[in-house]
Amino acid sequence: MSDLTKTPVTVVTGFLGSGKTTLIRHLMKNPQGKRLAVVVNEFGDVGVDGDILKSCAIPDCPAENIVELANGCICCTVADDFIPTIEALMAVEPRPEHILIETSGLALPKPLLKAFDWPDIRSRITVDGVIALADAEAVADGRFAPNVTAVDAQRETDESLDHETPLSEVFEDQISCADIILLTKPDLAGADGVTKAKAVIEAEAPRPLPIVEVAEGIVDPRVVLGLEAAAEDDIAARPSHHDTHHDHDHEDFESVVIDMPEVMDPADLVARIEALARTQNILRVKGYVSVQGKPMRLLIQAVGARVRHQFDRPWGPNEARQGRLVVIAEHDDINSEAIRRALLDPVAAE
């Protein structure tokens, strides 16, 4: 790569549990002969996604090219975290030929795009494209987007009502900033659900956008890489709810980290997480636990009451078999003690 050639960067955004890490794992395994680097931004103190991706490192994307930024939104900590991270990756030899950035599921992508206009990096990198992932089943159910018809009907009788939630704002900002939408988990949504989800996205998008159905993160890399969008140059065409704000924060959301003792029955833990989502409106649970008598670590990934778990890797010989789960919800739904009881108290699961 010539020193005068800008390194393309792909921003992967999408709501909690939409499949961003799964997509990046697929792209890492199919790099099209390019040297990749990955930046993972986590919400919460425990880095789960970065650990998953490092376990998938290959020669074209070695572990040292996978950087995790936990406990902070990179678009809120540009000077302290994002710019130094990009500069460090650009100094790696051989230099990465394409950088993938996985944002937190709560991140607003537009402030991150503005960071690419910083003089220190603008001449060396370009935003090849913004990929927004949307969970087809969730969108079809209206969980992450407002029901415009219902809102309008109720506003006619009460002008003070505002049904726009923080979740819908995040969803809409991610769609508005995108160059392409990947509609994930179409098998769970079914044909009717996919049709509904596409209609919601098309209604929210500020311009016509390609919408591609993707299951298990499998997509031809040529579809999502090499878009040459130069998104940093057309920020004005990507409207946001926060365009009039000088900054933004994530006070609408909160996370709790639970240290988990060794468990005997994974099914019991899954039942606890499902109950937690139903009773306390938990958005996301992710992390890992130790299962008694098993040499491998159990990875937990939950979106609402939908829980997936699998043994992902052996525990290291000198590694403490300490489980940790990150629980994420809107601020008003976080009750640390209730969450701890639900996950740890034997009575709570009965």
Side-chain angles (χ1 to χ4, degrees):
M1 179 184 295
S2 166
D3 287 341
L4 298 178
T5 302
K6 288 187 177 183
T7 300
V9 175
T10 295
V11 176
V12 180
T13 187
F15 202 76
L16 296 158
S18 59
K20 299 184 297 296
T21 302
T22 302
L23 171 68
I24 290 181
R25 287 177 67 178
H26 173 71
L27 295 176
M28 287 173 58
K29 293 177 181 178
N30 300 273
Q32 305 292 294
K34 295 181 178 180
R35 293 188 300 276
L36 299 180
V38 179
V39 178
V40 185
N41 187 210
E42 295 267 34
F43 184 86
D45 299 323
V46 179
V48 176
D49 297 340
D51 194 28
I52 294 172
L53 293 175
K54 286 181 180 179
S55 70
C56 302
I58 60 173
D60 281 328
C61 188
E64 57 267 27
N65 280 21
I66 302 171
V67 182
E68 182 179 70
L69 301 177
N71 197 29
C73 172
I74 50 178
C75 50
C76 299
T77 57
V78 171
D80 293 336
D81 291 324
F82 177 67
I83 299 298
T85 296
I86 294 297
E87 289 180 331
L89 286 176
M90 296 296 287
V92 170
E93 291 294 341
R95 191 204 306 182
E97 295 173 304
H98 202 116
I99 299 173
L100 306 176
I101 298 179
E102 177 187 342
T103 71
S104 155
L106 304 177
L108 304 176
K110 189 168 181 177
L112 178 57
L113 288 189
K114 293 179 179 178
F116 287 92
D117 202 33
W118 278 51
D120 290 345
I121 62 173
R122 180 177 173 83
S123 63
R124 294 187 287 166
I125 61 177
T126 181
V127 183
D128 181 69
V130 178
I131 305 170
L133 277 66
D135 182 317
E137 184 183 38
V139 174
D141 288 345
R143 281 180 268 162
F144 306 140
N147 183 324
V148 178
T149 302
V151 170
D152 288 344
Q154 293 188 32
R155 279 180 174 165
E156 288 180 4
T157 58
D158 185 350
E159 295 181 358
S160 67
L161 283 177
D162 182 1
H163 290 268
E164 188 166 64
T165 68
L167 295 184
S168 69
E169 287 191 9
V170 172
F171 173 79
E172 291 162 15
D173 278 16
Q174 291 171 349
I175 296 299
S176 295
C177 201
D179 294 292
I180 186 171
I181 309 295
L182 299 188
L183 198 59
T184 62
K185 306 171 188 175
D187 52 326
L188 298 179
D192 289 344
V194 167
T195 299
K196 290 180 182 178
K198 287 182 177 179
V200 171
I201 291 169
E202 288 168 352
E204 296 298 342
R207 59 195 181 282
L209 292 174
I211 302 175
V212 180
E213 296 176 39
V214 174
E216 300 296 334
I218 299 175
V219 63
D220 189 326
R222 294 173 297 180
V223 173
V224 293
L225 303 182
L227 300 179
E228 298 183 354
E232 70 275 16
D233 291 333
D234 73 339
I235 292 178
R238 302 165 191 261
S240 164
H241 286 283
H242 300 79
D243 283 341
T244 59
H245 296 190
H246 294 294
D247 55 16
H248 75 279
D249 56 43
H250 296 300
E251 292 180 358
D252 292 320
F253 304 96
E254 192 171 335
S255 67
V256 174
V257 178
I258 308 295
D259 290 328
M260 297 293 298
E262 194 167 62
V263 303
M264 295 183 62
D265 182 10
D268 173 67
L269 177 60
V270 169
R272 293 169 184 249
I273 294 172
E274 291 172 343
L276 189 65
R278 289 191 296 267
T279 60
Q280 299 190 50
N281 297 322
I282 299 302
L283 300 173
R284 188 86 158 91
V285 178
K286 59 182 179 178
Y288 42 83
V289 296
S290 172
V291 179
Q292 189 174 37
K294 300 294 184 181
M296 298 188 72
R297 190 179 74 168
L298 185 69
L299 179 69
I300 303 290
Q301 297 272 22
V303 181
R306 191 171 67 219
V307 185
R308 301 180 67 175
H309 61 287
Q310 65 187 70
F311 290 103
D312 68 331
R313 67 166 176 82
W315 290 97
N318 299 316
E319 184 179 11
R321 292 173 61 108
Q322 175 63 61
R324 303 189 83 187
L325 294 178
V326 182
V327 181
I328 304 172
E330 291 191 64
H331 177 77
D332 292 343
D333 292 324
I334 284 285
N335 182 326
S336 299
E337 286 306 311
I339 291 170
R340 292 180 192 281
R341 287 196 303 270
L343 292 176
L344 300 175
D345 188 346
V347 178
E350 294 180 358

